[in-house]
Amino acid sequence: MESYKTQDPEVYSIIKDEILRQENELQMIASENYASRAVMDAVGSVLTNKYAEGYPNKRYYGGCKHVDEAEELAILRAKKLFGAESVNVQPHSGAQANMAVFLGFLNPGDTVLGMSLDHGGHLSHGSKVNFSGRIYSSVFYGVREETFLIDYDQVEELALKHKPKLIIAGWSSYPRDLDYKRFREIADKSGSLLLADIAHPSGLIAAGLYSDPIPHCDFVTSTTHKTLRGPRGGIIMMKEEHSKIINSRVFPGTQGGPLMNSIVAKAIAFKEALDDSFKDYQKQVLINSRRLAEILMKNGFNCITGGTDTHLVLLDLRDSGFTGKDAEKALSDAGITTNKNAIPFDPQPPAIASGVRIGTPGVTTRGMKEEEIDIIGELIVEAIKNGENQEVLISCKKRVNDLCSRFPIYKDLLI
Ligand SMILES: Cc1ncc(COP(=O)(O)O)c(C=O)c1O
């Protein structure tokens, strides 16, 4: 059978250009990473052909012997990696994983208490534009204005006032650790279920470098493609007592056939994450993000909370004269991909924003360490400060390309 390389030149050209973009530029979006060749091969394997509605040994289709083995292996490895009682590896994405929890344990109109989107939460935690805010009633907690740290007193106050069915502890752009024990105490006081959404820090948690939510939460959802470095997808970890309901809400509740190619790739990613080298990788991710924050601050920029406990730095541009939109564009012209991001109490609308979120998982996967982070930090500062000067941006991009050429990642895919 022909490969797309010869069978579909238009598609080949698009994929080739994307390989070159990922190879030659610095990918610093905090929710992205470079999956291993093994993970990507598995996503492109024959398991993509298989229908397997149901669960291992309880399928609605024949021919599932091998995909059953794949799913059981993924579950076994995820349990080992996170120490979870029960795991569902079928969610197509992080948002789908959250949806299964909502559908399983809430009725339409029930109240959810989550972190506000503009303080670092996620759309699927009750935002009005998402199913979670359209079907359910949402209340939001946030961070304190003086510290930008989560205001746990406010969480407790809101929980006692609104008695939410579900409290969500999780974020997309909060650079600090979470106190899951405190969330549990609050949930117990308000009679709420507790969901930790670890889509972002799951790799750090797997490596023991961020607080572990499993002992404290009823449900833990995650994506598998961010710090965890697997294929795109979601997982749900839960106490055994909740597994029957959750499994039935994933299938048939919200999804049809599971993506068995992604599930087998998740199994590979979990194996990679169980290896000691993954712990070293995550340690370096943290060293790199902390160093980056230091460099940016030394050069006069503010970072929300004055640093990070995670793989991301949230640059606060309010005092700099630049907006998040300006900075994202300047960095992009310099070959550094990031995203503009609202900061808490942002004076700018979300489409402009006063922040930029910068993550180190991708560059660390490429093997970049402190020495390279120093260069990257300088390039970020130079690019943002010279956002109107194309000459400087072109020179920055050249240095970015040179740096990337010393840390090849997918070059062999072009052969
Ligand atoms: C905290 C959190 N939850 C859920 C999601 C959704 O994941 P997905 O894009 O796979 O639906 C994200 C994605 O950025 C996230 O940051």
Side-chain angles (χ1 to χ4, degrees):
M1 270 195 249
E2 256 186 290
S3 146
Y4 66 81
K5 288 184 188 177
T6 46
Q7 184 247 18
D8 192 334
E10 275 168 288
V11 164
Y12 178 49
S13 160
I14 292 168
I15 293 179
K16 197 176 70 183
D17 287 347
E18 177 60 13
I19 293 172
L20 288 170
R21 190 190 69 83
Q22 293 190 19
E23 182 75 23
N24 295 337
E25 300 185 8
L26 289 166
Q27 307 310 325
M28 300 194 77
I29 289 183
S31 44
E32 294 182 3
N33 210 327
Y34 293 94
S36 69
R37 183 69 187 260
V39 163
M40 292 195 297
D41 283 351
V43 172
S45 71
V46 294
L47 271 70
T48 196
N49 297 330
K50 190 71 199 96
Y51 243 110
E53 281 180 359
Y55 288 96
N57 306 312
K58 284 171 276 177
R59 303 283 189 189
Y60 290 86
Y61 287 81
C64 288
K65 180 173 184 290
H66 306 301
V67 291
D68 277 4
E69 288 165 0
E71 186 162 345
E72 278 165 350
L73 190 60
I75 291 169
L76 196 77
R77 289 178 179 171
K79 281 185 181 174
K80 195 166 168 202
L81 184 62
F82 290 101
E85 280 179 30
S86 182
V87 181
N88 187 308
V89 293
Q90 291 194 2
H92 299 334
S93 73
Q96 294 280 100
N98 288 339
M99 190 180 225
V101 175
F102 276 71
L103 273 185
F105 291 86
L106 275 64
N107 291 314
D110 279 350
T111 302
V112 182
L113 174 59
M115 189 171 191
S116 137
L117 186 61
D118 48 357
H119 284 210
H122 188 258
L123 283 169
S124 61
H125 298 179
S127 164
K128 284 287 165 241
V129 297
N130 183 262
F131 82 90
S132 56
R134 291 174 66 101
I135 302 177
Y136 307 94
S137 159
S138 33
V139 181
F140 298 105
Y141 60 86
V143 299
R144 287 185 193 272
E145 197 157 7
E146 323 79 67
T147 58
F148 290 112
L149 298 175
I150 286 179
D151 183 348
Y152 289 94
D153 295 336
Q154 185 201 28
V155 180
E156 179 159 347
E157 208 179 291
L158 291 170
L160 294 179
K161 182 169 169 204
H162 297 281
K163 300 265 186 256
K165 211 42 161 318
L166 182 72
I167 298 178
I168 306 177
W171 48 263
S172 294
S173 57
Y174 179 71
R176 292 295 174 182
D177 205 350
L178 290 187
D179 187 347
Y180 294 111
K181 187 165 167 286
R182 179 83 198 269
F183 271 111
R184 176 79 265 166
E185 287 160 7
I186 295 170
D188 285 343
K189 279 190 197 168
S190 58
S192 314
L193 289 162
L194 181 59
L195 160 66
D197 179 346
I198 60 168
H200 269 269
S202 52
L204 295 167
I205 291 170
L209 299 171
Y210 190 91
S211 289
D212 181 5
I214 297 276
H216 306 290
C217 298
D218 299 284
F219 319 98
V220 177
T221 54
S222 183
T223 53
T224 46
H225 47 271
K226 298 185 169 92
T227 49
L228 207 47
R229 209 169 55 182
R232 305 201 74 77
I235 49 168
I236 307 173
M237 296 170 274
M238 64 220 130
K239 295 196 190 305
E240 189 57 52
E241 66 196 85
H242 298 317
S243 64
K244 198 159 174 253
I245 293 182
I246 289 289
N247 290 346
S248 74
R249 293 310 185 270
V250 174
F251 172 84
T254 53
Q255 298 184 174
L259 309 176
M260 294 314 306
N261 53 327
S262 291
I263 289 174
V264 83
K266 287 174 190 174
I268 293 172
F270 299 146
K271 182 171 186 228
E272 290 174 358
L274 281 161
D275 195 87
D276 284 346
S277 60
F278 189 75
K279 195 164 187 170
D280 295 338
Y281 161 65
Q282 295 292 346
K283 276 187 192 158
Q284 191 65 47
V285 166
L286 266 186
I287 291 171
N288 286 353
S289 59
R290 288 183 169 142
R291 186 146 182 138
L292 182 62
E294 270 170 35
I295 297 169
L296 296 173
M297 289 188 296
K298 255 191 223 152
N299 280 280
F301 285 113
N302 293 324
C303 292
I304 293 287
T305 75
T308 182
D309 299 328
T310 70
H311 58 295
L312 68 86
V313 172
L314 189 55
L315 200 53
D316 172 2
L317 294 166
R318 277 174 311 174
D319 298 337
S320 70
F322 308 103
T323 67
K325 191 177 171 206
D326 297 333
E328 180 192 296
K329 166 85 171 56
L331 291 171
S332 172
D333 288 350
I336 303 172
T337 310
T338 60
N339 64 282
K340 64 177 170 295
N341 208 104
I343 55 164
F345 312 101
D346 204 320
Q348 298 283 2
I352 308 282
S354 299
V356 180
R357 193 181 62 159
I358 311 174
T360 54
V363 296
T364 311
T365 294
R366 297 183 78 145
M368 296 185 191
K369 296 200 164 85
E370 292 91 314
E371 200 181 315
E372 291 75 37
I373 291 295
D374 289 352
I375 300 171
I376 292 172
E378 283 164 21
L379 284 163
I380 289 175
V381 171
E382 196 172 332
I384 294 179
K385 288 188 174 167
N386 293 281
E388 300 289 318
N389 187 334
Q390 277 306 313
E391 228 171 89
V392 174
L393 295 178
I394 288 167
S395 142
C396 288
K397 188 164 185 172
K398 165 120 196 18
R399 281 179 281 155
V400 165
N401 296 156
D402 288 347
L403 176 62
C404 290
S405 70
R406 290 199 283 119
F407 294 86
I409 180 92
Y410 290 151
K411 227 165 141 187
D412 56 330
L413 295 175
L414 289 168
I415 297 164

